[in-house]
Amino acid sequence: MTLDAGTTVGVVGAGAMGAGIAQVAAQAGHRVVLCDARAEALSRAKAGMEKALARLVEKGRLSAAAAADTLARVQVAQPDASGGPNLRPLADAGLVIEAIVEDLGAKRDLVARLEQVTGPDAVLATNTSSLSVAAIASVLATPERFVGLHFFNPAPLMALVEVVPGVRSAPDLAARASALMRAWGKVPVTASDTPGFIVNRVARPFYGEALRLLEEGVADPATIDHAMRTLGGFRMGPCELMDFIGHDINFAVTKSVWEQTFHEPRYRPSLVQQRLVEAGWLGKKAGRGFYDHAQPLPAGGDDQLVAARVFGRIIAMLVNEACEAVFLGVATPADVELAMTRGVNYPQGLLAWGDALGPQRLVDTLRGLQQELGPERYRPSAHLVRRAAEGRSLLA
Ligand SMILES: NC(=O)c1ccc[n+]([C@@H]2O[C@H](COP(=O)([O-])OP(=O)(O)OC[C@H]3O[C@@H](n4cnc5c(N)ncnc54)[C@H](O)[C@@H]3O)[C@@H](O)[C@H]2O)c1
């Protein structure tokens, strides 16, 4: 089956992600069927979509007629009397994307049911952030039609989609899914089915190394944030970003990546962050995390030496992580660059950044940290070491 504007798209799970994905598909011209186990999730999703489209009309980005047509293309499937999602209206869908709760058992149950209600050619996709695509697909009789499509929040605004073929996905499925994502105005990158895919893996040191610097007493949160904003050009420093994301969520992602990589020391979760979670200082949503959000955020220290040390350590670890992702075939160099600039708005691609800073200088920084702090966590990636020795670009 071809995936084009004539394809009916099903979305199961009408929460933050599912509602956004449904809107994107409808704006791209598809008829969309949105399902959820809870009627209130469906009405909230539809109301949210109406509001988002009305805002686009106000801003002159969409005509009132186009907004009305988009909404009319979205059909909401009210839950079954039994309290489950009503999947029957998905019978003629050519693509169904699940965005339900992040639970392997629930997702497996759902995709097995989707396999029954859809035609044999329909593509089934998961928006999972942390589960393995292969594990979800393992319950299917036809795992070749299953793929990961990892959107970012909010889906209508964030361009990046990580396309994740599973071990048993059909060889051409990722390319077909990527072509469809491009037709939706998205920027697809292909990621291997590995913990955290590209973004949630390569971004780990932004948080993890900041937490280590805090633990070691090198700098306080305001100084770390100030350094990464002013020297790195990041929109937010790591501590304010963790406060913004929520420490419960950020800690859970780190823990999941660490556990799934068989306790890789680079990803080890931080006790500092665990204590914040235990204390209920979850960040902005709780009014308190590293910062008291009732107050303006503190400006941060102006000790240039400390700032340079902080920035040097975090950027070396980020570039190293990007190199390791390339080395292990998580993605191509070009896709690693796209993922970090379009998925989490990094000011530039990490491999190009590493080239600008000098690969050999980064190797030296990491080897210094290895000697001072331990061999495993700071070991330079073979990709970084090789390119430094060859005098070649990290993008090669
Ligand atoms: N929130 C994010 O930033 C983000 C980003 C990328 C991917 N994801 C992934 O997207 C998925 C959904 O996340 P979310 O933040 O939208 O969650 P959410 O809690 O906002 O929404 C989940 C929705 O799924 C419904 N649901 C739960 N179990 C169901 C079932 N068995 N059948 C039908 N509906 C069911 C719930 O009623 C709810 O409306 C998860 O896999 C998550 O990991 C989330």
Side-chain angles (χ1 to χ4, degrees):
M1 182 185 284
T2 50
L3 294 174
D4 56 24
T7 304
T8 295
V9 175
V11 178
V12 188
M17 294 309 295
I21 295 167
Q23 183 187 326
V24 172
Q27 280 188 265
H30 295 270
R31 191 171 86 81
V32 176
V33 180
L34 182 58
C35 308
D36 199 286
R38 293 181 309 120
E40 48 301 359
L42 290 165
S43 41
R44 199 174 327 120
K46 198 83 198 259
M49 227 177 284
E50 275 170 28
K51 214 165 138 194
L53 292 169
R55 218 173 300 132
L56 291 178
V57 172
E58 262 169 45
K59 288 186 185 162
R61 300 218 193 118
L62 197 69
S63 71
D69 286 350
T70 301
L71 271 179
R73 282 195 285 273
V74 181
Q75 175 196 340
V76 158
Q78 292 302 331
D80 267 344
S82 61
N86 174 11
L87 306 177
R88 283 181 304 277
L90 299 174
D92 66 346
L95 167 67
V96 182
I97 304 173
E98 76 74 22
I100 66 163
V101 58
E102 187 76 339
D103 177 272
L104 180 60
K107 287 192 191 290
R108 279 178 165 165
D109 286 350
L110 174 66
V111 299
R113 286 183 62 201
L114 289 174
E115 189 175 42
Q116 301 297 319
V117 297
T118 54
D121 292 337
V123 171
L124 304 178
T126 175
N127 187 46
T128 184
S129 300
S130 65
L131 301 169
S132 118
V133 172
I136 301 172
S138 67
V139 293
L140 298 176
T142 53
E144 60 276 8
R145 56 166 155 147
F146 194 77
V147 69
L149 285 179
H150 185 223
F151 289 78
F152 288 74
N153 192 14
L157 297 183
M158 299 300 289
L160 191 76
V161 179
E162 292 177 329
V163 177
V164 188
V167 174
R168 295 169 72 185
S169 300
D172 66 338
L173 185 55
R176 290 170 64 210
S178 295
L180 185 72
M181 291 303 103
R182 270 186 215 102
W184 289 11
K186 295 296 176 194
V187 175
V189 289
T190 306
S192 69
D193 187 10
T194 46
F197 308 131
I198 308 172
V199 169
N200 280 337
R201 175 192 193 117
V202 176
R204 297 282 32 99
F206 192 66
Y207 317 108
E209 205 51 25
L211 290 162
R212 273 297 295 254
L213 287 159
L214 287 173
E215 277 172 1
E216 292 172 22
V218 173
D220 62 8
T223 303
I224 293 173
D225 285 348
H226 180 72
M228 296 313 287
R229 278 194 315 262
T230 55
L231 300 179
F234 288 88
R235 289 187 196 173
M236 277 192 206
C239 300
E240 49 179 329
L241 184 54
M242 283 184 270
D243 266 15
F244 183 78
I245 293 168
H247 289 283
D248 50 344
I249 306 273
N250 189 261
F251 182 75
V253 175
T254 301
K255 193 156 170 261
S256 159
V257 172
W258 177 66
E259 284 170 354
Q260 291 189 68
T261 52
F262 311 111
H263 299 180
E264 163 59 53
R266 288 199 312 281
Y267 308 134
R268 196 169 70 205
S270 157
L271 276 175
V272 167
Q273 191 171 39
Q274 187 175 29
R275 292 292 177 267
L276 288 177
V277 175
E278 288 165 352
W281 282 14
L282 301 181
K284 200 156 186 254
K285 64 188 171 189
R288 178 73 218 220
F290 284 122
Y291 299 111
D292 176 357
H293 289 270
Q295 310 290 330
L297 296 191
D302 51 10
D303 185 329
Q304 297 302 315
L305 276 179
V306 174
R309 190 170 159 205
V310 165
F311 169 69
R313 223 167 114 168
I314 296 176
I315 197 70
M317 288 296 273
L318 280 170
V319 173
N320 197 44
E321 200 61 49
C323 287
E324 192 68 356
V326 170
F327 180 63
L328 295 178
V330 172
T332 62
D335 277 1
V336 170
E337 299 293 81
L338 270 180
M340 303 317 285
T341 49
R342 306 304 295 269
V344 269
N345 295 324
Y346 279 19
Q348 54 178 313
L350 290 169
L351 300 167
W353 208 337
D355 278 345
L357 291 168
Q360 188 55 53
R361 197 174 132 203
L362 294 169
V363 171
D364 294 343
T365 299
L366 292 163
R367 293 218 164 115
L369 290 166
Q370 272 188 305
Q371 277 187 355
E372 194 187 346
L373 300 169
E376 274 303 308
R377 181 180 172 93
Y378 296 99
R379 70 186 186 279
S381 165
H383 181 73
L384 180 63
V385 173
R386 284 178 194 168
R387 292 297 176 268
E390 296 159 354
R392 289 173 67 202
S393 166
L394 298 176
L395 283 154

